[in-house]
Amino acid sequence: MRFNTIIPLLLALLTGCGLAPDEDRHLEHVIPAHKPRSYAETVEQLDRRIQSLSDADSGSERITQLEELGDIIRWLPELAADSDLRKPHWEQARDVAVRMQLHFEQIAPEGSEESAAAYEALMNEITELRKLVPVSDDSPSRPLDER
Amino acid sequence: MFEVMFWGFAVRFLQCLVQATPFILVGLFIAGIFRRLLRDDGTRRLFGEGTPRSLLQAWAVGMLLPVCSLGVIPVIREMRRVGLAGGTILAFAMSAPLFNPLSLLYGLTLSEPVAILLFAFCSLIVVTLVGFVWDRLFPGSGEVQETVRPVGHGPKRMLSILVVAAREVSGPSLPWLLVGLAGVAMLGALLPSTALQHSVNGDDPLAPLTMTAVAVPVYATPMLAMSQLGSMFQHANSPGAAFVLLALGAGMNLGLAWWMFRHYGAKKALAWFALLLLIVVGLAYGVDRPLFPRDIEIADHTHAFDVYCRPFESASSNLPAMAMDKLKRDTQPYERTAVMLLGGLLLLGLGLRLLDRWLVIEDWLERTAEEPASTKGLDIVIPGPVLGGLSLAGLIAASIVGCYAYYPPPEEVLEEMSIVKAEALGGALSGDVTHATYWIDAYDDWSRKLEVGVYLRDWRLSDYHRWKARLLREKLELLQHEVEDHDMDEVRRLVADISRTHQRLRRAYLEER
């Protein structure tokens, strides 16, 4: 019987003080503002961001841009899966994402020769990704010649 | 408020009883097999009694037999009766409810396989370490409590197993089962409906400790625990808390703890409990950071533990009807059959108790059976231990075969998913929160069965297919939130998006495997 009193006490100690009130807290999954909405937009964003990063000077804004670019590269397999890409094409996109991650890790926050090479390699990968854009959306609203 | 708590208790008690019933039935018959077929020596041999490998053997037997932490109660009572050491009994009691073939497959497919294998290894450490230290601290805990006379072969032997099961469920095991169920029902009465949604976030260092406090009275079937682990990894919740949930939530319940106190005394039980908490919490903090998923957006909440909180948020005159409705909806057809079987067994047990005034059936069963006149050809007498071993092996084989029924082929699953999708999305569009919530959960569940079903048949599941199912589940969860917030514009957008995601998933699983 002693056990039956210990447990509620323990519960009250550990969760009781922080018990949520009966009214629900607003639950949400935060979707970052820089997360692209489609595969095509992902490729466009990657292209634009890599170009602007390679031109940008150092500074806190650059660090944010770098972080956001890293996020988009990390999201690439998910965004490609959320498109009409078929399995072989998706695997192609995923392999590109893996390679892009390796190139991305070569970029120094302050910029360097290595960074320049990494930017170039990343741009080459974008070319690969761009080839998949036409087959990434076969929704009926899209013109047949673009599917 | 009292009404909400009362109905919360009642609903959670009955929900858990229904979920536990198939496992309790299995546990009762395993106890019968131990007593009547393996008998005392065979049971001691099965667990390697007196050998250095007894703890490891108890863990291995526990991992194979499909019981939960309530179903294990009649089995450990039987183990204690034949004089197995306390450490061995505890090793079995703690490991048997954690995994079975069905749940292991589910976990390997849907959680992080590395995490599940590591959790299984950690459970081995827990049971062997706790058992080893406990046996050293309190030697001589294994004393034969009662011996039973053998039963002759033939139908009597089979009937005697049924009698053991009926006696157990209507007598000695019943109080512990009820206490176990009352523990989790108590949570359903006390904890507000959202109390555990934010308590195991991945960035909360106290998450494993909070889970420890909740997990002791929690009762979770192996499958429920596995699905909760999957949900925790999906939300990037604390892996340490996930391990605590598995070890303590699935591994034990208040009934089991109380059984320890009652049979071994407060000192030994407290020592066991302290050892257990120390090792489980220590391991939980050990795995918390290394297993934290890096590729998942961290959610600030989880719904995995809503089932342990109050099912109703506010008082309503309609609570009894709502409770009935919830129970009816949540009960699976196979669970109804199991409840009827358990009810029948309980009635049989009560009937035997009445009959005891005139005839103790065990006396009749144990009366030496006449040897058959001849044992020619295939008409041979199979020794009890052989039959017992075959029965246990058959049980394990049946649970493996059961995996194929529980996780049907993708064609069948996708047919079910189409029906469930229509209900879930229809409910969302009509703004019916209860209807939508129920069917969104079912939709989510079928998407997991789809993955496991493919893995079971192909022995692999590509990242492409995993992503398709994961995306569907993520969008379903978003839909759930929007339905609760009554944001109809967002609901309509998500319904269209989910329909498209479903089409892609269907194509991937039917045409691109």
Side-chain angles (χ1 to χ4, degrees):
Chain A
M1 288 307 283
R2 237 173 305 165
F3 198 73
N4 285 348
T5 47
I6 291 168
I7 289 302
L9 269 178
L10 207 65
L11 274 172
L13 276 172
L14 282 164
T15 60
C17 306
L19 284 185
D22 262 354
E23 58 269 23
D24 195 3
R25 278 170 60 179
H26 185 74
L27 301 171
E28 57 184 43
H29 292 257
V30 180
I31 298 171
H34 60 284
K35 190 166 188 176
R37 282 172 301 176
S38 67
Y39 177 78
E41 194 188 319
T42 308
V43 178
E44 284 314 312
Q45 274 213 37
L46 283 170
D47 190 347
R48 203 176 59 240
R49 282 170 181 271
I50 291 166
Q51 283 200 20
S52 93
L53 256 175
S54 61
D55 299 339
D57 299 328
S58 58
S60 63
E61 204 174 305
R62 187 184 147 83
I63 290 173
T64 311
Q65 284 178 348
L66 259 178
E67 282 172 358
E68 290 185 353
L69 177 65
D71 285 342
I72 297 173
I73 294 173
R74 192 164 50 83
W75 290 328
L76 189 51
E78 175 189 343
L79 291 159
D82 201 13
S83 74
D84 287 317
L85 288 181
R86 297 298 182 108
K87 194 177 173 205
H89 291 138
W90 179 84
E91 285 169 344
Q92 224 173 306
R94 181 205 49 196
D95 293 346
V96 170
V98 172
R99 291 199 299 271
M100 285 182 84
Q101 186 64 42
L102 294 175
H103 299 316
F104 174 74
E105 284 161 12
Q106 303 299 314
I107 300 174
E110 302 300 322
S112 65
E113 269 185 38
E114 272 183 6
S115 298
Y119 286 128
E120 199 182 327
L122 282 171
M123 290 308 289
N124 288 339
E125 301 294 1
I126 301 277
T127 315
E128 289 297 307
L129 291 178
R130 202 180 289 283
K131 286 179 194 164
L132 300 174
V133 171
V135 286
S136 69
D137 183 1
D138 58 8
S139 62
S141 58
R142 223 172 123 87
L144 272 174
D145 57 335
E146 285 182 25
R147 284 185 220 169
Chain B
M1 178 54 77
F2 175 77
E3 207 188 353
V4 173
M5 289 171 74
F6 172 79
W7 286 105
F9 184 94
V11 166
R12 294 300 184 218
F13 186 95
L14 292 171
Q15 270 181 333
C16 290
L17 173 64
V18 167
Q19 286 170 9
T21 303
F23 297 101
I24 294 174
L25 279 173
V26 171
L28 289 166
F29 282 98
I30 290 175
I33 290 167
F34 280 5
R35 189 179 303 187
R36 293 304 189 183
L37 297 182
L38 286 186
R39 302 196 26 80
D40 300 10
D41 282 348
T43 305
R44 282 193 287 266
R45 257 201 315 277
L46 178 70
F47 290 97
E49 180 61 4
T51 67
R53 58 174 198 281
S54 61
L55 292 171
L56 189 68
Q57 223 161 301
W59 174 82
V61 174
M63 295 285 276
L64 286 171
L65 292 178
V67 284
C68 66
S69 64
L70 288 172
V72 90
I73 288 172
V75 186
I76 57 170
R77 273 185 32 76
E78 192 55 28
M79 290 169 73
R80 186 164 184 271
R81 186 190 66 74
V82 302
L84 287 169
T88 310
I89 295 176
L90 296 175
F92 175 80
M94 292 290 301
S95 60
L98 301 189
F99 297 99
N100 60 44
L102 214 67
S103 71
L104 192 63
L105 197 65
Y106 190 90
L108 287 175
T109 315
L110 294 168
S111 296
E112 296 291 317
V114 176
I116 296 302
L117 293 175
L118 189 64
F119 282 6
F121 179 68
C122 286
S123 77
L124 173 66
I125 295 177
V126 171
V127 298
T128 47
L129 214 55
V130 173
F132 179 80
V133 175
W134 199 84
D135 277 346
R136 290 294 167 280
L137 286 175
F138 308 107
S141 61
E143 285 171 18
V144 178
Q145 305 291 316
E146 179 198 350
T147 50
V148 288
R149 284 173 291 160
V151 176
H153 54 79
K156 268 189 174 180
R157 199 158 53 177
M158 297 300 109
L159 183 63
S160 67
I161 296 170
L162 185 70
V163 169
V164 171
R167 290 271 191 212
E168 278 293 325
V169 74
S170 61
S173 289
L174 189 61
W176 317 116
L177 296 174
L178 293 177
V179 171
L181 291 168
V184 67
M186 183 185 72
L187 292 179
L190 293 178
L191 296 179
S193 56
T194 59
L196 298 176
Q197 286 182 349
H198 305 272
S199 48
V200 291
N201 288 351
D203 53 0
D204 183 355
L206 287 178
L209 276 180
T210 310
M211 182 52 78
T212 305
V214 178
V216 175
V218 151
Y219 160 76
T221 62
M223 286 299 289
L224 178 63
M226 275 301 160
S227 70
Q228 285 169 338
L229 293 196
S231 175
M232 288 178 83
F233 279 101
Q234 187 187 336
H235 287 82
N237 294 140
S238 158
F243 176 67
V244 174
L245 171 76
L246 184 71
L248 300 180
M252 68 176 296
N253 58 63
L254 272 192
L256 206 58
W258 193 29
W259 182 85
M260 274 294 295
F261 272 76
R262 197 60 194 272
H263 287 97
Y264 291 101
K267 190 180 158 194
K268 289 179 183 175
L270 280 174
W272 164 72
F273 201 59
L275 268 171
L276 181 69
L277 290 189
L278 191 74
I279 296 169
V280 168
V281 174
L283 283 172
Y285 276 99
V287 299
D288 199 44
R289 286 305 101 190
L291 284 183
F292 190 76
R294 309 277 165 214
D295 60 337
I296 294 173
E297 300 300 323
I298 300 171
D300 73 336
H301 68 281
T302 176
H303 295 286
F305 311 112
D306 290 358
V307 290
Y308 302 128
C309 301
R310 279 183 210 144
F312 310 111
E313 284 182 25
S314 53
S316 151
S317 57
N318 212 16
L319 276 182
M322 284 163 72
M324 280 305 291
D325 194 37
K326 191 166 181 56
L327 285 170
K328 268 186 203 160
R329 268 193 325 206
D330 290 351
T331 305
Q332 304 295 319
Y334 73 90
E335 290 171 335
R336 282 196 196 107
T337 312
V339 167
M340 282 192 278
L341 285 173
L342 191 71
L345 214 51
L346 186 69
L347 285 177
L348 177 65
L350 295 173
L352 289 174
R353 279 171 188 277
L354 274 178
L355 187 69
D356 283 346
R357 294 178 192 177
W358 302 282
L359 167 74
V360 178
I361 196 161
E362 281 83 353
D363 290 343
W364 174 71
L365 289 168
E366 290 165 3
R367 218 172 283 157
T368 314
E370 288 172 23
E371 289 299 316
S374 65
T375 54
K376 284 178 188 168
L378 291 174
D379 185 18
I380 52 169
V381 176
I382 301 171
V386 174
L387 212 51
L390 284 173
S391 305
L392 294 180
L395 204 58
I396 296 163
S399 65
I400 292 169
V401 172
C403 291
Y404 284 87
Y406 193 79
Y407 303 114
E411 295 77 13
E412 280 179 37
V413 176
L414 283 162
E415 263 180 49
E416 289 294 330
M417 282 179 80
S418 296
I419 300 165
V420 173
K421 183 188 94 171
E423 293 286 350
L425 302 190
L429 285 172
S430 65
D432 184 340
V433 180
T434 311
H435 190 82
T437 303
Y438 174 77
W439 288 104
I440 286 172
D441 283 350
Y443 199 1
D444 180 292
D445 193 39
W446 275 110
S447 78
R448 293 172 197 274
K449 282 188 178 174
L450 177 70
E451 283 185 84
V452 185
V454 168
Y455 183 77
L456 190 59
R457 284 161 183 84
D458 298 353
W459 290 109
R460 65 185 167 79
L461 185 66
S462 74
D463 287 347
Y464 176 73
H465 291 94
R466 283 181 197 274
W467 267 115
K468 294 291 178 195
R470 183 167 148 185
L471 279 166
L472 180 74
R473 285 196 290 272
E474 285 179 3
K475 289 176 186 181
L476 283 174
E477 190 168 351
L478 292 176
L479 180 67
Q480 170 73 52
H481 292 315
E482 298 306 342
V483 170
E484 283 166 359
D485 291 346
H486 302 288
D487 185 342
M488 291 315 288
D489 286 342
E490 200 53 24
V491 165
R492 278 189 284 274
R493 187 191 69 75
L494 275 165
V495 164
D497 196 13
I498 289 169
S499 297
R500 194 128 185 246
T501 305
H502 182 99
Q503 278 175 10
R504 290 174 183 145
L505 170 123
R506 189 182 167 80
R507 188 179 65 193
Y509 279 85
L510 291 182
E511 298 169 19
E512 299 181 287
R513 268 165 63 200

